[in-house]
Amino acid sequence: FQEKDKLVAEVIRYVLFKTYQTAGCPIKREELAQIVTKNYRQRALPGLVISEAKEKLSSVFGYEMRELQRLRLPSRSTRSSQQCMVEAKSYIVTSQLPSDIYSKYVEDKENSHMTGFAFVVVSIVHLAGGKISEENLWHQLRRLGLNESDENHPVFGNSKQTLEMLVQQRYLQKEKVVGPEGNTLMYDLAERALDESISGKLKDYISQVVNKETTAEAD
């Protein structure tokens, strides 16, 4: 039991450190399982340790370790190999605190611009029907003052790298589609953006914007 508690603590440390180090990129289940299996061979142990780590993260730290549902995209010859390697099971860490308390006491204000950027981009793709071409996405972002050629944007630095970070964090996934006019890079919503914690907020936000516009037109 003592050894199991040590493994649970090790998994929690790894999850918190990796989440901070990678700005919230999903953590593969196999990474967590390897913490256990490097010294122990019992087949059921990794699942048990990960399950206890999830409970402790929630009860002690106030974080939910959410399992992302893998997107099973149809295999096509046009799909880039990168897209065929979506991790089978992965986790993200989200705060269980009410948003106002989280914003006041916990949120890293230096990184809050990335949260805003993710929300805007996911909104654009969502309103485009869940899929948008790279060209059209940058067209929409240029209207908001962000250009793909920006390498030293005062807030986002390198714009293309900032967009790529949303792919790493699994808000978006990209694929090359071969058409009669050549290759087109398309962005789809990935599993993190489709997770109910994000998609619910997104629908609320979009309905608020639509209601405001409707009210303004009525006036």
Side-chain angles (χ1 to χ4, degrees):
F1 277 110
Q2 203 175 354
E3 288 302 310
K4 183 173 66 97
D5 288 346
K6 274 186 186 172
L7 288 170
V8 169
E10 217 175 311
V11 166
I12 289 172
R13 264 199 304 274
Y14 184 86
V15 167
L16 292 174
F17 176 73
K18 192 85 190 279
T19 298
Y20 177 76
Q21 187 190 39
T22 62
C25 289
I27 299 162
K28 293 178 189 174
R29 183 188 169 88
E30 65 193 53
E31 290 177 53
L32 303 181
Q34 279 167 6
I35 293 171
V36 180
T37 55
K38 66 183 177 188
N39 291 320
Y40 298 92
R41 289 283 168 263
Q42 293 97 317
R43 290 188 67 179
L45 195 57
L48 192 66
V49 169
I50 291 169
S51 178
E52 281 205 21
K54 283 172 80 169
E55 282 175 28
K56 278 221 167 125
L57 270 166
S58 174
S59 60
V60 179
F61 296 94
Y63 286 113
E64 183 184 4
M65 196 165 118
R66 293 178 76 89
E67 186 177 310
L68 287 181
Q69 295 303 311
R70 175 182 172 177
L71 281 182
R72 297 182 186 279
L73 290 169
S75 171
R76 291 206 307 262
S77 57
T78 55
R79 189 172 301 288
S80 65
S81 60
Q82 174 216 351
Q83 286 308 308
C84 299
M85 296 172 65
V86 178
E87 51 270 26
K89 264 191 181 176
S90 57
Y91 299 98
I92 54 169
V93 172
T94 58
S95 174
Q96 294 174 315
L97 291 170
S99 55
D100 54 339
I101 293 173
Y102 180 81
S103 177
K104 190 171 181 182
Y105 297 107
V106 182
E107 187 177 37
D108 180 359
K109 295 292 186 280
E110 286 183 18
N111 284 321
S112 58
H113 63 282
M114 270 306 293
T115 309
F117 178 71
F119 207 68
V120 166
V121 171
V122 169
S123 298
I124 290 170
V125 181
H126 179 81
L127 289 168
K131 186 190 268 281
I132 194 169
S133 69
E134 181 184 39
E135 187 183 344
N136 197 359
L137 178 56
W138 280 114
H139 172 71
Q140 300 295 337
L141 289 172
R142 279 196 295 274
R143 293 171 63 187
L144 299 171
L146 196 64
N147 202 302
E148 67 263 48
S149 60
D150 288 340
E151 291 186 6
N152 293 297
H153 188 277
V155 177
F156 298 107
N158 186 308
S159 297
K160 281 191 172 176
Q161 284 178 8
T162 305
L163 185 62
E164 182 59 28
M165 178 58 91
L166 298 190
V167 176
Q168 302 296 322
Q169 293 175 333
R170 301 302 300 157
Y171 285 107
L172 299 177
Q173 58 192 5
K174 55 185 182 179
E175 61 170 320
K176 272 188 186 152
V177 176
V178 179
E181 294 172 20
N183 291 351
T184 306
L185 192 62
M186 300 294 295
Y187 284 96
D188 299 69
L189 294 178
E191 53 268 39
R192 192 171 193 161
L194 296 168
D195 187 80
E196 62 194 38
S197 65
I198 299 284
S199 62
K201 285 180 189 170
L202 192 61
K203 283 167 189 163
D204 288 347
Y205 170 72
I206 290 169
S207 63
Q208 281 174 22
V209 171
V210 171
N211 287 342
K212 274 183 189 169
E213 286 181 358
T214 310
T215 310
E217 282 172 13
D219 291 347

